[in-house]
Amino acid sequence: MPAPLTLWGRKSSCNVQKAQWLLEELGLSYDHKPVGGRFGGLDDAYRALNPNGLVPTLQDGDVTLWESHAIVRYLAATYGDSSLWPADPRRRALADQWTDWTATTFQPAWIGLFWAVVRTPVEEHDAVAIAGFHASSLAAFAILEAELTRRPYLSGEYFGYADIVAGVSLYRWFDMAIERPAMRAVEAWYARLEERSAFRNVVMVSYAELAGRLAF
Ligand SMILES: N[C@@H](CCC(=O)N[C@@H](CS)C(=O)NCC(=O)O)C(=O)O
């Protein structure tokens, strides 16, 4: 019997949610170890698994991995079907492109806004920082909107891992007290993702424990 998969990390972390969403999509059983945030536990023993002292970390037998996008690619490649891990490198490259763009451009923008609006206590709000992250988020969402006007999913014609890494933003984006221009294609993508039980169970969850909390 293979060793069970173990996912380390609190469920309120958007980076943990990427791994957990895909584990649920794949119907894999896994142990969940809630560490980080209010759970603590990012100690020396944990740092032996992940020297960054951050979540998530995935263990699969003798494989130990950190960096949420590497974890998502690993799970898709190891356990995914041809939709989640297409044999055609041109299709995988498309998913990779949006996955790397999420890491370098999209997530720093929307998470920056989330930290400025939700995680920073209201009395410490910095209007300049909020305006900057709002502008960079809208610029990134405009790129998403243009792409999703042409295709139903970021990974192409089918749902794939790029939809997971970028899609974990949507519940918080549409819930945050910010101004949002109408973006029909992004809204339709959100509605398509909402049809997936793994998305509803993993991503559409309360993040109240993060409000007004800068400590982790
Ligand atoms: N680039 C890393 C970022 C990991 C990261 O920043 N994790 C945050 C949570 S989203 C963390 O561990 N914060 C400390 C904590 O939760 O205690 C990844 O994608 O996995």
Side-chain angles (χ1 to χ4, degrees), residues 10 16 26-27 40 47 56-57 63 72 76-77 120 144 158 162 178 186 205 212:
R10 60 182 168 85
V16 173
L26 292 166
R47 281 172 185 269
T57 299
V63 174
V72 163
T120 303
L144 279 179
Y158 305 99
I178 53 166
V186 169
V205 296

Side-chain angles (χ1 to χ4, degrees), residues 191-206:
R192 279 191 285 280
L193 297 182
E194 243 182 302
E195 288 168 9
R196 312 185 79 89
S197 59
F199 178 79
R200 294 195 303 276
N201 295 338
V202 172
V203 179
M204 300 184 76
V205 296
S206 170

Side-chain angles (χ1 to χ4, degrees), residues 23 34-35 40 42 45 52-53 61 70 75 77 80 89 145 152 159 175-176 188 201 203 212:
L23 285 164
V35 290
L42 304 179
N52 303 289
L75 289 172
E145 175 71 7
F159 171 80
D175 198 50
M176 270 192 277
N201 295 338
V203 179

Side-chain angles (χ1 to χ4, degrees), residues 142-212:
I143 291 171
L144 279 179
E145 175 71 7
E147 179 68 6
L148 291 165
T149 303
R150 293 189 285 269
R151 315 170 191 275
Y153 294 104
L154 280 187
S155 304
E157 291 307 308
Y158 305 99
F159 171 80
Y161 56 87
D163 299 284
I164 290 179
V165 300
V168 293
S169 63
L170 293 174
Y171 178 63
R172 294 180 187 186
W173 173 257
F174 283 102
D175 198 50
M176 270 192 277
I178 53 166
E179 283 190 25
R180 284 173 294 270
M183 291 181 290
R184 284 175 178 217
V186 169
E187 285 156 24
W189 177 52
Y190 184 26
R192 279 191 285 280
L193 297 182
E194 243 182 302
E195 288 168 9
R196 312 185 79 89
S197 59
F199 178 79
R200 294 195 303 276
N201 295 338
V202 172
V203 179
M204 300 184 76
V205 296
S206 170
Y207 53 87
E209 70 176 29
L210 305 178

Side-chain angles (χ1 to χ4, degrees), residues 10 13-15 18 36-37 42 53-56 66-69 216:
R10 60 182 168 85
S13 149
C14 69
N15 290 312
K18 295 168 189 172
L42 304 179
L54 296 172
V55 293
W66 38 269
E67 279 301 328
S68 57
H69 294 185
F216 54 82

Side-chain angles (χ1 to χ4, degrees), residues 79-95:
Y79 300 106
D81 60 12
S82 59
S83 164
L84 274 167
W85 192 257
D88 182 350
R90 286 170 296 189
R91 279 187 52 207
R92 274 209 314 274
L94 189 64

